[in-house]
Amino acid sequence: PGRFIDNMVEFAHKVEKLGKDDPRRITHSIKVGLTLSLVSLLYYCRPIYGGFGSSTMSAILTVVVVFEFSVGATLGKGFNRALATFLAGALGFGAHHLATLAGDKGHPAILWFFIFLLAAVASFVRFFPGIKARYDYGVLMFILTFCLVSVSGYREDEILELAHKRVSTIAIGCLTCVIMSIFVFPVWAGLDLHKLIAHNIEKQADFLQGFGELYFGTKRDMDMSWLHGYRSVLNSMTAEEAMANFARWEPAHGKFRFGHPWKQYLKISGMTRQCAYRLEALSNSITSEMKAQKPSEFKKIITLSCMEISIELGKALQEISSAIKNMTYPFTVSTHIVNAKTAAEDLHRALEGITLNNTNILDDVMPAVSVTSLLLEIIECTKNIAE
Amino acid sequence: PGRFIDNMVEFAHKVEKLGKDDPRRITHSIKVGLTLSLVSLLYYCRPIYGGFGSSTMSAILTVVVVFEFSVGATLGKGFNRALATFLAGALGFGAHHLATLAGDKGHPAILWFFIFLLAAVASFVRFFPGIKARYDYGVLMFILTFCLVSVSGYREDEILELAHKRVSTIAIGCLTCVIMSIFVFPVWAGLDLHKLIAHNIEKQADFLQGFGELYFGTKRDMDMSWLHGYRSVLNSMTAEEAMANFARWEPAHGKFRFGHPWKQYLKISGMTRQCAYRLEALSNSITSEMKAQKPSEFKKIITLSCMEISIELGKALQEISSAIKNMTYPFTVSTHIVNAKTAAEDLHRALEGITLNNTNILDDVMPAVSVTSLLLEIIECTKNIAE
């Protein structure tokens, strides 16, 4: 029993952490609960509207499947579902009609053939990367609805009546979802993406600003966890692509128009990732530096310039990050870049003048220099985008 | 019309490419088509079994939703669906029963409350990363079935009869999918993961073996696309995790037992990725080296050792890759590592002895040295895993 209580306490902590990390998760859960119970009320409206009854089921199904965390995802799925149901319903009706013309014997054979053909083609279509990203769910719904309509043994007028009910309940389901997700504590995928990108760049700025002090030993605290904040960007590509896909469905909100250039965010993020690979290499040299305790003569020569480079670059990135956040043009960035460039030139000059006896230590400065040039490139690119 | 034909031709090329890249995609599409048409035949079995009829729909729905590309994904979804339907059905029946006890007036209110509670809790549960990865679909199905059962206006004996039919059709749907995916041209997620990991390591080996020649200028062809094969590993984490999740559902196949340590693959892959970040830095230095044409004095000194290090490491990785492929222990790897270490020591000694006037060129060798130490670490780790 003691162990059971321990498990429960641990579980409670996990739940608390999930909720605290992003309180919108709790709001989302309540929203889903509300929407579902709202839609299920439809069932009890029978006397008034005269016959939703069992068609309520498809409204419930729609809500369960369509309601997603962000507005964009919900809109995308709702659109997919509506379009796919409509198209497949029409095609299925056509197939059914054709099969009826063939008489009682030909009927199953023709339907069988149609189903096989459509299911195979649609399954293959799902492998196209572009369709997989945006219309995967729609294609699934298409196969499903087509099968349901064409196989059902109803007469044609029955199908039409059923279709009418089905379409209206699905529309109600979709609309409820869309309204709930847009007007009740909305979660915008676009805004999230925007914040994520700015956050990633800021983490890199933190790293660069802290790097100098840590590496050249003016500060030696061992708590380096804050330095590794930039690591989250390394594997975030898939999540970002999904967010950008969702964001494309979203209407204008806050400072974003419909048709905001979301793809630019992916480009910026790609460059940020390139930069993160370099930071990863830098951070490795910190760890190896921690082991070798005594600072060498060579290191003293490069300390000043290197620290300036990394701090100026950190400032530049910080600038870019807050420019993205506020959607302004980063005016002062170029100053920082120029400063960093000057420091880099100083460093080159200093290096040309000296003679080296203990080359091992060069491990230390070279990554910094190569990162410098890379960062410069990145910053140039970011400037070009200038939303 | 000309443009239309161009578009069609382009589309045909795309289709051809998709099919050629992985012919299993075509087989998969045909499998889905066959399974669906098989299951829809159930509808016509009415006279014999006495009454699948409209319940066929849920079999069709099951097939459309459960049938996935790999065996593991299909099994996982099938299991999720079966378990969730069963659990939610039982709970929904209980809720329905409780609500009936409360009389005509309390009935809707109690149901409303239950639906709200379950939908909210289940939606929140979906945010747990562990559940998201393996049971996301099951939780969705759970909400859906619970709503359907508890809202339906049937009497209790009707629900039981419906549940009986529903369960049997869903079971038939799941079984057909599982049988089709296991016995007809199976696609094993585990095998794919295994191949992918070995392939990624091999690409890195290719890069290292080619790097020396390209960098030190004994060969200067500009076609570097083959070098960048290793880049695919940089962003493959999400795909690998999904594959490992699917692989855990799969029964014994080929050389893999059920319960094969799939997580080890993710660890290896994580280390491979660490290594790829370093290769990325190396590859950058190649490009900058391409611009500076004349080889320097310093470069001549390090050429031999560096080339040996990179070639030996390439061989070691090659060895590991083929050891993974054949599932043997990589015996000769240690020799290559020792060779690489010796070469690295030679390099250090050579560097200590010389005096440098033109330090700029140091950009070139240092990444190689840091990569060396990192590769050594990685190889040690991989040896420890030794399946």
Side-chain angles (χ1 to χ4, degrees):
Chain A
R3 212 179 142 198
F4 176 73
I5 291 172
D6 282 356
N7 279 341
M8 285 306 288
V9 170
E10 195 188 320
F11 178 74
H13 278 298
K14 261 193 194 166
V15 171
E16 201 190 335
K17 192 175 167 298
L18 264 183
K20 266 194 187 159
D21 280 357
D22 196 345
R24 298 176 305 174
R25 284 171 179 159
I26 300 172
T27 341
H28 172 73
S29 306
I30 295 173
K31 269 159 70 184
V32 174
L34 268 180
T35 318
L36 259 184
S37 31
L38 259 181
V39 167
S40 67
L41 281 184
L42 268 188
Y43 182 77
Y44 296 101
C45 297
R46 198 169 356 182
I48 306 168
Y49 291 106
F52 275 126
S54 62
S55 284
T56 316
M57 299 308 153
S58 67
I60 292 180
L61 202 144
T62 307
V63 171
V64 171
V65 182
V66 165
F67 210 130
E68 291 277 333
F69 188 53
S70 66
V71 176
T74 310
L75 275 175
K77 275 201 160 180
F79 175 80
N80 264 314
R81 180 167 179 97
L83 190 70
T85 308
F86 183 75
L87 268 182
L91 263 179
F93 186 74
H96 196 274
H97 187 75
L98 262 179
T100 315
L101 289 183
D104 268 2
K105 287 217 168 159
H107 190 107
I110 289 187
L111 277 187
W112 195 88
F113 174 73
F114 274 130
I115 290 179
F116 172 77
L117 191 74
L118 248 112
V121 169
S123 303
F124 188 76
V125 164
R126 289 180 67 202
F127 287 112
F128 283 96
I131 289 181
K132 182 99 196 157
R134 300 195 72 190
Y135 302 107
D136 194 42
Y137 176 71
V139 175
L140 264 192
M141 280 299 119
F142 180 82
I143 307 181
L144 185 61
T145 313
F146 180 80
C147 288
L148 294 192
V149 171
S150 61
V151 167
S152 73
Y154 298 110
R155 275 172 296 117
E156 293 191 0
D157 52 338
E158 281 176 332
I159 291 187
L160 284 181
E161 203 200 310
L162 191 76
H164 177 74
K165 268 193 203 164
R166 212 30 89 75
V167 165
S168 51
T169 45
I170 287 179
I172 290 176
C174 284
L175 269 180
T176 322
C177 287
V178 167
I179 289 171
M180 282 297 273
S181 71
I182 292 187
F183 295 106
V184 185
F185 298 107
V187 175
W188 302 103
L191 189 64
D192 277 8
L193 179 63
H194 183 83
K195 279 185 189 160
L196 180 69
I197 302 285
H199 177 82
N200 280 339
I201 295 181
E202 197 183 342
K203 284 285 159 200
Q204 300 202 338
D206 284 353
F207 177 85
L208 279 170
Q209 290 183 331
F211 171 73
E213 289 195 335
L214 206 63
Y215 184 69
F216 294 107
T218 45
K219 211 163 80 181
R220 272 208 188 269
D221 48 357
M222 290 305 282
D223 177 31
M224 285 165 53
S225 54
W226 62 271
L227 270 180
H228 293 309
Y230 72 90
R231 276 201 185 150
S232 59
V233 75
L234 289 175
N235 288 310
S236 65
M237 192 177 84
T238 324
E240 282 160 13
E241 277 177 355
M243 275 174 158
N245 267 327
F246 294 153
R248 286 164 73 191
W249 290 106
E250 291 177 350
H253 59 281
K255 284 172 280 185
F256 308 100
R257 301 180 313 287
F258 180 74
H260 193 74
W262 299 113
K263 286 205 165 174
Q264 300 289 359
Y265 283 96
L266 294 185
K267 275 188 205 158
I268 299 179
S269 167
M271 289 182 286
T272 318
R273 206 164 294 119
Q274 287 293 326
C275 179
Y277 297 149
R278 272 74 197 180
L279 295 189
E280 185 73 15
L282 273 182
S283 120
N284 247 55
S285 54
I286 292 185
T287 356
S288 60
E289 182 61 19
M290 289 284 191
K291 287 171 198 156
Q293 284 296 329
K294 49 165 193 186
S296 69
E297 201 182 319
F298 173 74
K299 208 169 151 186
K300 281 176 201 152
I301 302 172
I302 63 166
T303 300
L304 264 183
S305 318
C306 278
M307 279 186 75
E308 196 173 334
I309 293 175
S310 90
I311 285 175
E312 286 295 335
L313 285 179
K315 276 184 193 158
L317 281 177
Q318 189 88 57
E319 202 70 39
I320 291 172
S321 160
S322 57
I324 288 181
K325 259 187 209 153
N326 308 321
M327 301 185 80
T328 53
Y329 185 84
F331 288 108
T332 50
V333 163
S334 46
T335 332
H336 294 300
I337 296 177
V338 169
N339 286 348
K341 274 185 181 160
T342 323
E345 273 160 25
D346 286 350
L347 180 62
H348 275 252
R349 227 169 291 126
L351 286 178
E352 273 168 24
I354 59 163
T355 311
L356 288 169
N357 298 318
N358 194 353
T359 334
N360 260 1
I361 316 135
L362 283 177
D363 273 294
D364 314 338
V365 61
M366 287 316 141
V369 174
S370 66
V371 164
T372 311
S373 57
L374 209 105
L375 280 175
L376 292 176
E377 270 172 39
I378 289 171
I379 291 165
E380 299 284 333
C381 292
T382 321
K383 251 171 51 187
N384 288 342
I385 292 166
E387 299 155 312
Chain B
R3 212 178 141 197
F4 177 73
I5 291 172
D6 281 357
N7 279 342
M8 287 305 289
V9 169
E10 195 187 320
F11 178 74
H13 279 298
K14 262 193 192 166
V15 171
E16 201 190 336
K17 192 174 168 298
L18 264 183
K20 265 194 186 161
D21 281 356
D22 196 345
R24 297 176 305 174
R25 285 171 177 160
I26 299 172
T27 342
H28 172 73
S29 306
I30 295 173
K31 269 159 70 183
V32 173
L34 268 179
T35 318
L36 258 184
S37 31
L38 259 180
V39 167
S40 67
L41 280 185
L42 268 186
Y43 182 79
Y44 297 102
C45 298
R46 199 171 355 184
I48 307 170
Y49 291 105
F52 274 125
S54 64
S55 285
T56 316
M57 298 309 153
S58 68
I60 291 180
L61 201 145
T62 308
V63 171
V64 171
V65 182
V66 166
F67 210 129
E68 289 277 332
F69 189 54
S70 67
V71 176
T74 309
L75 275 175
K77 276 203 158 177
F79 176 81
N80 264 316
R81 180 169 180 96
L83 190 71
T85 308
F86 184 75
L87 268 182
L91 264 178
F93 186 73
H96 195 273
H97 187 74
L98 262 179
T100 314
L101 289 182
D104 268 1
K105 287 218 168 158
H107 190 107
I110 290 188
L111 278 186
W112 195 87
F113 175 73
F114 274 129
I115 290 179
F116 172 75
L117 191 75
L118 249 111
V121 169
S123 302
F124 189 75
V125 162
R126 287 179 69 200
F127 286 113
F128 284 96
I131 289 180
K132 183 98 195 156
R134 299 195 72 190
Y135 302 107
D136 194 42
Y137 177 70
V139 176
L140 264 191
M141 279 298 120
F142 179 83
I143 307 181
L144 184 61
T145 314
F146 180 81
C147 289
L148 294 194
V149 172
S150 61
V151 166
S152 72
Y154 298 112
R155 278 172 294 116
E156 295 191 359
D157 52 335
E158 279 176 334
I159 291 188
L160 284 181
E161 203 201 309
L162 190 76
H164 176 75
K165 264 192 205 164
R166 209 35 85 77
V167 166
S168 51
T169 43
I170 288 180
I172 291 177
C174 283
L175 269 180
T176 323
C177 286
V178 168
I179 290 172
M180 282 299 273
S181 71
I182 293 186
F183 295 105
V184 184
F185 300 105
V187 175
W188 302 102
L191 188 63
D192 277 5
L193 178 63
H194 183 84
K195 278 185 190 160
L196 179 68
I197 302 284
H199 177 81
N200 280 340
I201 296 182
E202 198 182 340
K203 284 286 161 202
Q204 301 201 337
D206 283 354
F207 176 85
L208 279 170
Q209 290 182 331
F211 171 73
E213 288 192 338
L214 206 61
Y215 186 66
F216 295 107
T218 46
K219 214 162 78 182
R220 273 208 186 267
D221 48 358
M222 291 304 285
D223 177 31
M224 284 166 53
S225 55
W226 61 273
L227 270 180
H228 294 310
Y230 72 91
R231 274 196 187 156
S232 58
V233 77
L234 290 175
N235 288 310
S236 66
M237 192 175 83
T238 322
E240 281 161 14
E241 276 177 356
M243 275 175 157
N245 268 327
F246 294 152
R248 286 164 73 189
W249 292 106
E250 291 178 351
H253 59 280
K255 283 172 282 183
F256 309 99
R257 302 180 314 285
F258 180 74
H260 192 74
W262 298 114
K263 286 205 166 175
Q264 299 289 0
Y265 283 96
L266 293 186
K267 277 188 203 157
I268 300 180
S269 166
M271 290 183 284
T272 317
R273 205 164 296 119
Q274 287 293 326
C275 181
Y277 297 149
R278 273 72 199 183
L279 295 190
E280 186 72 15
L282 274 182
S283 117
N284 247 53
S285 54
I286 292 186
T287 357
S288 59
E289 182 61 20
M290 289 286 193
K291 287 171 201 159
Q293 285 294 327
K294 50 167 189 185
S296 68
E297 203 182 316
F298 173 74
K299 208 169 153 188
K300 280 177 201 152
I301 302 172
I302 61 167
T303 301
L304 263 183
S305 316
C306 279
M307 278 187 77
E308 197 172 334
I309 294 176
S310 90
I311 285 174
E312 288 293 334
L313 285 180
K315 276 184 192 159
L317 282 178
Q318 187 88 60
E319 202 71 38
I320 292 172
S321 160
S322 58
I324 289 180
K325 258 187 208 155
N326 309 320
M327 300 185 83
T328 53
Y329 185 83
F331 289 107
T332 49
V333 164
S334 47
T335 332
H336 293 302
I337 296 177
V338 169
N339 286 347
K341 275 185 180 160
T342 324
E345 276 160 24
D346 286 352
L347 180 61
H348 275 251
R349 225 170 292 130
L351 285 179
E352 273 166 26
I354 59 161
T355 311
L356 289 171
N357 298 319
N358 194 353
T359 335
N360 259 0
I361 315 134
L362 284 175
D363 274 293
D364 311 338
V365 62
M366 288 315 141
V369 174
S370 67
V371 164
T372 310
S373 58
L374 210 108
L375 279 176
L376 292 176
E377 271 171 39
I378 289 171
I379 291 166
E380 300 282 333
C381 293
T382 320
K383 251 168 56 185
N384 289 342
I385 293 167
E387 301 155 313

